[in-house]
Amino acid sequence: MTHAANVPEHDDDARLASLGYQPQLRRVLGLFANFSVAFTYLSPMVGIYSLFALGLGTGGPAYIWLNLIPIAGMLFVALVFGELASHYPVAGALYQYSKFSVGPGYGWFVGWFYGFALLITVAAVDTGVVTYFAALTHNWFGWSLDPADHVTILWITVLLLLIQTALNITGAKVMGRVAQFGVYVEILGTFGIAVILAVHGFHHGLGYLFTTQGVQHAASNPLGLNFHGSWLGAALIAVLAPVYIYYGFESAGDISEETVDAGRQVPRAMRLAVIWGGIGSIVLTAALLLAVPGHGAKGVGDAVGGGVPFILGQLPSGVQDILLLLIIFAFFSCGTSIQGAGSRLMFSYSRDQALPGSSWLARVHPRFGTPVNALVAGSMVTVLFVLLVFASPAHDKHFLFITYPGGVNALVALVSFGVSGIYLSFLMTVIASWVARSRGWVPEGRFTLGRWGNVVTLIAGAYLALMLVNVVLPTGLSSPRAYFNIDWITLLVMFLIAVVGAAYFLAARPDRGVRHHLHDDREPTGAERETPPA
């Protein structure tokens, strides 16, 4: 039995009450369930199967070691978030941490950016399963679904969303069970596939992982990219492949009010999700690289052109079908966890009267103990985002200094905010922690950083700031970065979401409602942190 099971539930609820909230959600999750939600959101399988070809094409086999940068950086972020989560074990995570640390207006904008990023990420993950679903149905039923067809993308994604929403509605325990099963699938899909590929026979020795195979030269780069012979320049782009993987661990805090002994278990779950996500990612990436058929630039080119399916295609057909099932479930559990975390943010946001229709969105189902309305509303918004796949201009569109490339659907452009929005909200939350410390805040949760707090916070903020710039930096459509960032489009999406948020904020002043929910018995209410509007 875990320590969490021995902690009286009223201790968690008493801390919640000291923050001005009455328990509404059911506290049924232990450490493993909380960790599972965070781990399956991070999902090494989903990230690698989506980004392996781009990482290899921009950095060569040596790109595997670039994983160490975001793993280390996000571990520092997880330490900062863990301290905040332990002190403020409230659903809504980043929004709540920033609200209490700086003030209602600042916290509201953190929640705004973070919420959009979550909803967009659900759309990105669920549409990502279409290719693998089409392949499996072709093998099993002889169907010839076109994974690029917009109607096919829509109906498969909507079907997936309906199942995810139904499961999430039925209770946090069901969400936890799906996530826990997802962890076992991730183990099979990372370590299991690595073993299968090793048994089948690697084509390279370990030294291959330290080579670039000439990707820094235009003549031998499989994507036709020109890094002018500099692998450092290539690495600056290739690092974005793992950067796009290592987040989601913060969702452990989104479900704090449903976790037993949240002040202790949530910080542990965050750290474990980053650590094991990193280990799983490196093991799977290494196995895939060592299994690349052929040598030199041609071998890399074939692997980049065919992606992970090309490498796994060496295996017997029956094994391939099993792997397709694992991949599909990994996408499914990842989307389910993200949707669950996003609905808790929407519930927490609405409980503070921070959104239109807050009283409806904040309702908790009396039987299931879940924010059903928030789940349904979030799913509807996600479907609207998925519909953007139909917006795909045939030719380049020019507006002032911005060019929208032809053949790229609007969802792809929006997905760029799924990463930049996460990094922005992360950075704002770390800054909030720094501001709180400068005002004399003393963490009193069960997990604290002690005298290392300032140093850890500074390193976490520096990492997030540097990578946010690397993610959004506009360098032209012909730049190697365009594979991750469509020039100015990423910044434009960020700007539009910020403008819409600012317009609503000025018109509705949701911070006035949030201001009534800043109570904390352990410290001043925080009302003096922002001057009330005239």
Side-chain angles (χ1 to χ4, degrees):
M1 180 178 294
T2 64
H3 176 76
N6 296 317
V7 176
E9 185 175 312
H10 62 76
D11 287 356
D12 293 309
D13 293 342
R15 177 55 182 147
L16 194 61
S18 73
L19 291 167
Y21 296 106
Q22 292 301 313
Q24 293 177 271
L25 305 176
R26 293 178 182 170
R27 204 174 291 278
V28 294
L29 303 177
L31 172 62
F32 183 51
N34 185 275
F35 158 79
S36 297
V37 171
F39 183 78
T40 52
Y41 177 177
L42 186 148
S43 186
M45 283 184 67
V46 170
I48 291 171
Y49 286 120
S50 300
L51 298 162
F52 174 80
L54 290 182
L56 178 59
T58 52
Y63 103 91
I64 184 176
W65 305 114
L66 297 175
N67 279 273
L68 299 176
I69 296 175
I71 291 172
M74 282 306 195
L75 189 54
F76 279 100
V77 176
L79 290 172
V80 175
F81 287 1
E83 186 176 59
L84 290 165
S86 187
H87 190 90
Y88 303 113
V90 188
L94 309 189
Y95 155 66
Q96 293 286 356
Y97 310 157
S98 301
K99 178 193 80 175
F100 280 110
S101 297
V102 177
Y106 187 89
W108 187 88
F109 273 100
V110 170
W112 180 258
F113 291 127
Y114 182 51
F116 264 100
L118 288 177
L119 291 171
I120 291 168
T121 303
V122 174
V125 169
D126 283 2
T127 54
V129 81
V130 174
T131 299
Y132 299 102
F133 181 82
L136 185 65
T137 55
H138 175 74
N139 293 349
W140 283 8
F141 309 115
W143 296 359
S144 297
L145 298 175
D146 180 5
D149 179 71
H150 297 154
V151 175
T152 300
I153 293 172
L154 180 62
W155 76 258
I156 293 176
T157 305
V158 170
L159 176 63
L160 195 63
L161 267 171
L162 287 173
I163 299 172
Q164 290 167 331
T165 305
L167 290 172
N168 272 324
I169 282 175
T170 55
K173 186 171 288 188
V174 174
M175 177 181 67
R177 289 283 186 266
V178 172
Q180 287 170 327
F181 189 72
V183 170
Y184 300 130
V185 167
E186 292 279 349
I187 292 172
L188 288 173
T190 52
F191 297 96
I193 287 179
V195 171
I196 291 172
L197 288 173
V199 171
H200 187 266
F202 287 145
H203 296 282
H204 308 277
L206 292 176
Y208 185 73
L209 302 179
F210 296 89
T211 68
T212 66
Q213 299 299 306
V215 295
Q216 65 269 37
H217 304 289
S220 51
N221 185 283
L223 298 173
L225 305 177
N226 188 3
F227 294 107
H228 307 286
S230 170
W231 191 75
L232 181 61
L236 191 63
I237 308 300
V239 73
L240 292 177
V243 160
Y244 276 41
I245 295 175
Y246 298 108
Y247 59 89
F249 58 88
E250 80 290 345
S251 59
D254 285 312
I255 55 175
S256 286
E257 292 182 37
E258 292 150 291
T259 302
V260 179
D261 194 14
R264 179 170 178 263
Q265 305 297 14
V266 169
R268 291 179 63 191
M270 289 182 178
R271 299 192 302 273
L272 289 172
V274 175
I275 293 169
W276 284 106
I279 293 172
S281 295
I282 290 176
V283 168
L284 178 57
T285 302
L288 291 171
L289 289 170
L290 296 176
V292 169
H295 296 270
K298 185 181 185 306
V300 171
D302 291 341
V304 170
V308 174
F310 169 75
I311 297 173
L312 299 183
Q314 307 169 74
L315 302 175
S317 58
V319 175
Q320 291 182 45
D321 286 350
I322 293 174
L323 295 182
L324 282 172
L325 276 174
L326 293 177
I327 294 168
I328 290 170
F329 191 85
F331 275 85
F332 172 76
S333 62
C334 178
T336 303
S337 294
I338 302 170
Q339 186 194 57
S343 66
R344 271 56 174 185
L345 170 65
M346 189 178 293
F347 159 76
S348 183
Y349 223 34
S350 301
R351 184 172 54 180
D352 288 356
Q353 294 91 51
L355 287 174
S358 286
S359 60
W360 182 76
L361 290 170
R363 291 178 188 170
V364 175
H365 195 280
R367 177 183 174 188
F368 301 125
T370 53
V372 174
N373 294 344
L375 280 163
V376 172
S379 297
M380 293 173 65
V381 174
T382 298
V383 171
L384 292 178
F385 289 150
V386 174
L387 288 172
L388 291 175
V389 298
F390 289 92
S392 182
H395 307 287
D396 289 357
K397 299 293 182 181
H398 304 280
F399 177 72
L400 298 178
F401 56 88
I402 298 174
T403 298
Y404 189 94
V408 176
N409 69 65
L411 178 60
V412 172
L414 193 64
V415 164
S416 64
F417 183 80
V419 178
S420 59
I422 288 289
Y423 268 76
L424 176 60
S425 55
F426 275 29
L427 178 59
M428 292 178 70
T429 305
V430 170
I431 291 173
S433 175
W434 184 271
V435 170
R437 290 182 184 279
S438 69
R439 290 173 171 174
W441 173 63
V442 179
E444 297 181 13
R446 300 189 66 181
F447 172 78
T448 66
L449 297 173
R451 60 193 179 93
W452 294 101
N454 285 329
V455 174
V456 172
T457 304
L458 181 62
I459 295 174
Y463 165 76
L464 291 170
L466 290 172
M467 283 306 165
L468 178 61
V469 171
N470 198 23
V471 167
V472 304
L473 187 67
T475 51
L477 292 175
S478 60
S479 165
R481 185 174 276 106
Y483 279 92
F484 296 94
N485 165 15
I486 309 176
D487 197 24
W488 285 94
I489 302 301
T490 302
L491 279 175
L492 177 62
V493 172
M494 291 180 68
F495 175 75
L496 291 176
I497 290 176
V499 167
V500 172
Y504 174 74
F505 185 87
L506 293 174
R509 294 310 302 267
D511 57 318
R512 292 173 177 168
V514 176
R515 194 179 300 278
H516 295 297
H517 298 271
L518 284 173
H519 177 74
D520 186 353
D521 286 344
R522 292 185 179 176
E523 56 191 41
T525 62
E528 72 280 2
R529 295 176 185 169
E530 288 189 1
T531 304

